Amino acid sequence: QIPGATVSERRLFISFSGGETSAFMAHLCLTEEAIRSQYDAVRVVFANTGEENEETLDFVDRCDRHFGLNTVWVEAVIHHGERKSPTHQVVNVNTASRYGAPFEEAIRKYGIPNAKFKDCTRNLKLRPMESYLRSVGWAPGTYDTAIGIRDDERSRAVIGAERKRRRIVYPLIDYRPTTKPQVNAWWAAQPFRLNLKGFQGNCRWCWKKSFRKHLTLIQTEPEVFDFPRRMEEKYGTIGGEFNREPPPPPGYRRVFFRENRSVEDLFAEYEARKETFTPAHDDAQVFDAEMDVASACEESCEILVDDQDDQGGEE
């Protein structure tokens, strides 16, 4: 049995990331009596960063209408000049940002996120969701949080005392152990699916993707890198390290991608490899240690995973 809440009203917060696994989990929590009966109140929340693929926004909206999820859409509100965490504003499928505005505001305050400064999920998803829940009277510690990590992704799950403290539940591990092929099989029987290829993902250019996925995107949709290129040009010298002694070395700028690579570095890599590299696709392919190492970026970025060692934000 999934651990239940202990407050007088048993509450479940479902983090809907926008991926098929997350949608499957939300539907399961709302329809499986053994789960739903444990809670008096359930809220499903989706956080839009402004850099989701349009297909993701369409999918969230269609899931909401088809499965009756009653999803609340939120976006981060960044408080410049204050030691204050991001709060939220409620949006919908029509008013949600499509041009990266929430993401840019977070970068303008906290700097460019990357493998060292992993604060985009926290500032653009977790904090706005928590802010919304507080606004409806759900204080921290008064609800369980359902996260869509599957049984074949156990290494990403928060465990032990930290999991208990954060009141995290993993329905697709604890209640109904589920793997990616099982999720795919379930969606194959539904009247619609998330219309994205495996190398695309919800975030159009997520820095956690493998180099093979990035080069494939450069080959097929180079315009998705317009936003991160502009962010690197405008905000490369913003971040806590610029305010400390000793200062960064001359010429240092923050960039998004692994191995301290910029957007221009990725495009140069593509030019050097475009005649020889094998593009990413949805089927299995030979693994290459240089091209295929990623940072748990599949369909989406889940909140509260074991690599959530973000730096640089205010509490």
Side-chain angles (χ1 to χ4, degrees):
Q1 186 180 45
I2 295 177
T6 58
V7 295
S8 58
E9 181 182 63
R10 301 169 302 167
R11 300 165 170 172
L12 179 66
F13 156 47
I14 299 174
S15 171
F16 184 6
S17 67
E20 288 189 343
T21 293
S22 187
F24 171 75
M25 177 202 67
H27 175 67
L28 180 71
C29 288
L30 291 172
T31 59
E32 195 76 27
E33 180 63 18
I35 302 176
R36 184 63 182 87
S37 63
Q38 296 184 50
Y39 297 98
D40 302 308
V42 178
R43 290 186 182 266
V44 181
V45 187
F46 166 71
N48 176 48
T49 69
E51 279 298 292
E52 265 75 37
N53 272 299
E54 186 65 29
E55 291 84 354
T56 298
L57 305 184
D58 291 342
F59 179 73
V60 172
D61 180 56
R62 191 163 185 184
C63 284
D64 196 52
R65 290 183 283 110
H66 185 76
F67 298 122
L69 302 180
N70 294 318
T71 305
V72 176
W73 293 46
V74 300
E75 290 179 354
V77 175
I78 306 299
H79 301 275
H80 297 284
E82 302 180 61
R83 290 191 59 81
K84 182 177 181 180
S85 290
T87 54
H88 77 284
Q89 63 178 346
V90 175
V91 296
N92 58 45
V93 66
N94 297 315
T95 62
S97 172
R98 265 74 171 178
Y99 304 104
F103 213 138
E104 180 168 0
E105 287 304 298
I107 291 172
R108 191 159 72 88
K109 179 174 183 178
Y110 300 109
I112 288 170
N114 52 36
K116 183 176 181 181
F117 301 99
K118 302 177 183 180
D119 58 8
C120 49
T121 299
R122 180 187 60 192
N123 290 328
L124 293 167
K125 293 179 178 286
L126 177 59
R127 297 298 188 238
M129 286 176 163
E130 292 175 334
S131 171
Y132 165 74
L133 293 171
R134 286 194 301 272
S135 76
V136 297
W138 286 29
T142 68
Y143 54 85
D144 291 347
T145 299
I147 303 294
I149 291 179
R150 302 184 305 268
D151 196 48
D152 54 347
E153 301 176 299
R154 282 176 175 264
S155 63
R156 298 182 63 207
V158 177
I159 61 174
E162 184 66 7
R163 174 182 172 179
K164 184 176 181 180
R165 182 183 71 82
R166 296 186 178 193
R167 296 183 59 167
I168 302 171
V169 296
Y170 298 112
L172 305 186
I173 295 176
D174 301 321
Y175 180 76
R176 182 185 289 185
T178 304
T179 63
K180 178 65 172 174
Q182 290 172 314
V183 171
N184 286 339
W186 187 83
W187 276 105
Q190 305 307 312
F192 65 95
R193 296 196 65 166
L194 175 59
N195 187 29
L196 288 172
K197 298 183 183 301
F199 62 85
Q200 292 175 304
N202 286 334
C203 178
R204 300 193 300 160
W205 48 269
C206 179
W207 57 265
K208 294 182 179 182
K209 295 180 189 290
S210 68
F211 285 140
R212 189 184 306 279
K213 289 182 178 181
H214 285 310
L215 298 193
T216 304
L217 284 169
I218 290 171
Q219 184 179 74
T220 59
E221 303 175 82
E223 67 277 4
V224 306
F225 292 94
D226 290 350
F227 178 84
R229 177 186 284 111
R230 183 166 60 86
M231 295 300 99
E232 289 181 344
E233 291 172 352
K234 290 183 66 175
Y235 305 112
T237 58
I238 291 177
E241 69 270 37
F242 294 97
N243 302 317
R244 292 193 290 264
E245 293 293 338
Y252 167 83
R253 297 178 65 86
R254 273 203 205 180
V255 294
F256 282 103
F257 303 102
R258 289 186 302 109
E259 299 180 8
N260 203 37
R261 299 195 194 192
S262 66
V263 171
E264 296 307 323
D265 291 332
L266 292 184
F267 273 73
E269 184 78 7
Y270 171 73
E271 287 299 319
R273 292 178 177 260
K274 65 181 180 181
E275 303 297 334
T276 59
F277 95 102
T278 301
H281 48 77
D282 291 335
D283 299 322
Q285 61 190 26
V286 176
F287 177 82
D288 180 276
E290 179 184 5
M291 292 288 286
D292 296 307
V293 172
S295 301
C297 178
E298 296 299 334
E299 294 176 334
S300 57
C301 285
E302 292 288 359
I303 64 171
L304 301 178
V305 296
D306 71 347
D307 65 351
Q308 196 71 8
D309 56 344
D310 297 345
Q311 305 178 44
E314 288 84 8
E315 294 300 324

